[in-house]
Amino acid sequence: MSRLDGVLTGSVAAGRRRVVDTVVSLPAWSAVLLLWTVGRLVSTMWLMVVYPLVSRVQPDNAIWGNDHGFTAFLTSWDGQYYEAISLHGYPSVLPIDATGHVAQNAWAFLPAFPFTIRLLTVSTGLPFTIGAPTVAIVAGLVATFLLHRLVQEHAGATAALWAVFFFTCGPLSFLLQVGYAETAFLALTFGALLAMERRRYGLLTVLGVVAAFTRPGALAIPLTLGVLALLRYSAARRTGARSLDGFPVAERVKVVVAGLVMAAAGSAWPVIAAWATGRPDAYLATEMSWWVNFIGRVHFVPLSPWFLTTAKWLGVGGVLLVVLLLVLYPLWLSRRSTRQLGTTTVVFAAGYALYVFAVSLPMASTPRLLMPLAPLMGSPELVAKPGLRWTLVAGALVLQPVFVALLWLLGPP
């Protein structure tokens, strides 16, 4: 390396340190708001860059109708189903395709997000294409503050800000401002985890129930509560009966009630779909209609989708890759640095990942489904090593335009 190269490298490193030091020195709320704002500006820029290509390269099914304006672009793909639900509710008769099977329809999408937008549009007169991104942006800001608080309480302020950066400026951060239910679910989930840590079981129950009607995956919240309660009870028993005073019967009753109510809510939507349509498998058949283009028509067996998909597209090597992931992910969660994020976060990360693996196909929407695992990006192992940290930063900044183009312009995320 020449002397000039060394000077330039040193200057870049010094500049990066100054930027980090400046952000860290700000009050927590203003640092979080700054990162969120910068992230939204960057995401808006990339969405506007690819927007002119809509009429030429975006598939016809991405936007229904003739309105291809920018706000319609922000509410394309799944946003169209949320709009239909917001305006017309759910169909009482399931659509059937040419082969006699249930076709893709609105029952795959839960009601809390579109009905919230309905309240906003009715009260203000705003169209759905404005109301949906507005709700998503506000919910995304709330989720960002809750994420910061969740990571900060265990891993410290610096790790929390890095987690916020990767969340608000990472490859999938453009989803924080489009017409999807992701941000609402993230805000509810992070809020529920904080309420769980503070043993505010009434608030936890409310957030968990609303989350259950916002996005699939909320069953991981009562699962986390149950595991934590068992760990706490077992630890108290091991240290003697007197320690059980720290986990009194009244609190144990609250935990059981909260868990049962949230579990019931998380299991309710298939029952509601069956009652409304008169078809017992309405929800499952609707969900499976999205699988046909990837692996054909199959019967649903929990824990099998990832193996079926990788076997079809990658053969034995794909199956071995899934097995490797099943080994490496628990190992990473068990590392001391990851456990510094707190038992609640680690247990939830295990439970939610298990849910995604058990019931969903690995496809373009998988990165989006994994967004609730954002607290893991605050792991000291990732953010304490400058080389790894700045590699992740570069990847986050470089991959966002790639993801915007591939997952929002060309195919549904």
Side-chain angles (χ1 to χ4, degrees):
M1 179 184 294
S2 68
R3 182 176 179 181
L4 178 59
D5 290 338
V7 171
L8 290 175
T9 301
S11 298
V12 170
R16 291 189 307 210
R17 285 195 297 271
R18 284 196 295 271
V19 170
V20 172
D21 290 343
T22 299
V23 174
V24 171
S25 66
L26 293 172
W29 69 267
S30 56
V32 172
L33 183 60
L34 173 64
L35 290 173
W36 178 85
T37 302
V38 170
R40 302 295 51 75
L41 291 174
V42 171
S43 295
T44 300
M45 177 190 72
W46 288 123
L47 287 165
M48 294 184 70
V49 165
V50 303
Y51 166 64
L53 301 175
V54 168
S55 60
R56 284 180 283 175
V57 299
Q58 193 171 37
D60 293 337
N61 65 330
I63 299 179
W64 299 338
N66 298 319
D67 179 12
H68 287 189
F70 184 66
T71 56
F73 179 56
L74 294 181
T75 53
S76 54
W77 299 112
D78 290 357
Q80 300 170 112
Y81 287 99
Y82 287 123
E83 182 175 14
I85 296 166
S86 178
L87 296 176
H88 310 297
Y90 291 87
S92 58
V93 178
L94 295 176
I96 302 299
D97 62 20
T99 65
H101 295 94
V102 174
Q104 296 176 3
N105 66 86
W107 280 105
F109 303 91
L110 296 168
F113 179 67
F115 286 179
T116 298
I117 299 168
R118 175 68 174 174
L119 292 175
L120 176 64
T121 55
V122 168
S123 61
T124 64
L126 292 172
F128 177 89
T129 53
I130 298 293
T134 299
V135 172
I137 287 172
V138 172
L141 178 58
V142 173
T144 302
F145 276 102
L146 293 173
L147 171 65
H148 178 267
R149 182 63 61 85
L150 185 62
V151 176
Q152 182 185 37
E153 291 195 353
H154 295 281
T158 301
L161 287 177
W162 279 110
V164 166
F165 170 81
F166 292 123
F167 181 66
T168 59
C169 302
L172 290 172
S173 58
F174 69 94
L175 289 170
L176 301 180
Q177 59 198 79
V178 300
Y180 272 32
E182 254 54 44
T183 56
F185 184 71
L186 291 166
L188 292 163
T189 299
F190 297 156
L193 295 179
L194 279 170
M196 195 181 303
E197 289 201 334
R198 296 172 184 180
R199 302 174 186 173
R200 299 179 60 182
Y201 300 113
L203 177 61
L204 167 63
T205 303
V206 171
L207 295 174
V209 168
V210 178
F213 290 97
T214 302
R215 281 274 308 140
L219 280 172
I221 298 174
L223 175 61
T224 301
L225 178 64
V227 172
L228 292 177
L230 288 175
L231 291 174
R232 188 176 166 195
Y233 183 79
S234 298
R237 288 290 300 270
R238 285 196 304 270
T239 55
R242 183 174 296 179
S243 298
L244 284 173
D245 294 340
F247 192 15
V249 173
E251 185 180 353
R252 281 178 260 165
V253 171
K254 291 179 182 178
V255 168
V256 171
V257 171
L260 291 176
V261 170
M262 290 188 292
S267 307
W269 192 242
V271 178
I272 294 172
W275 173 79
T277 62
R279 178 164 174 162
D281 67 340
Y283 177 70
L284 180 60
T286 296
E287 287 285 0
M288 297 295 286
S289 67
W290 264 269
W291 291 27
V292 175
N293 293 333
F294 295 93
I295 60 173
R297 200 166 297 280
V298 298
H299 293 290
F300 174 71
V301 178
L303 303 176
S304 69
W306 285 57
F307 291 110
L308 292 174
T309 306
T310 54
K312 177 179 176 62
W313 295 101
L314 300 176
V316 176
V319 174
L320 293 176
L321 179 60
V322 173
V323 173
L324 181 63
L325 288 174
L326 292 176
V327 173
L328 293 180
Y329 184 68
L331 286 177
W332 185 46
L333 291 182
S334 65
R335 291 178 65 86
R336 179 183 300 177
S337 58
T338 308
R339 286 187 280 113
Q340 290 181 33
L341 293 168
T343 305
T344 301
T345 294
V346 173
V347 172
F348 173 79
Y352 184 79
L354 175 62
Y355 163 81
V356 172
F357 173 74
V359 304
S360 70
L361 290 180
M363 51 182 166
S365 62
T366 300
R368 169 172 62 91
L369 296 181
L370 296 177
M371 288 180 75
L373 301 180
L376 294 179
M377 295 305 295
S379 170
E381 186 172 37
L382 299 179
V383 301
K385 301 176 181 178
L388 179 58
R389 183 173 65 218
W390 290 109
T391 299
L392 291 172
V393 169
L397 297 177
V398 170
L399 287 177
Q400 183 171 179
V402 176
F403 275 46
V404 169
L406 294 181
L407 297 183
W408 195 251
L409 182 67
L410 299 178

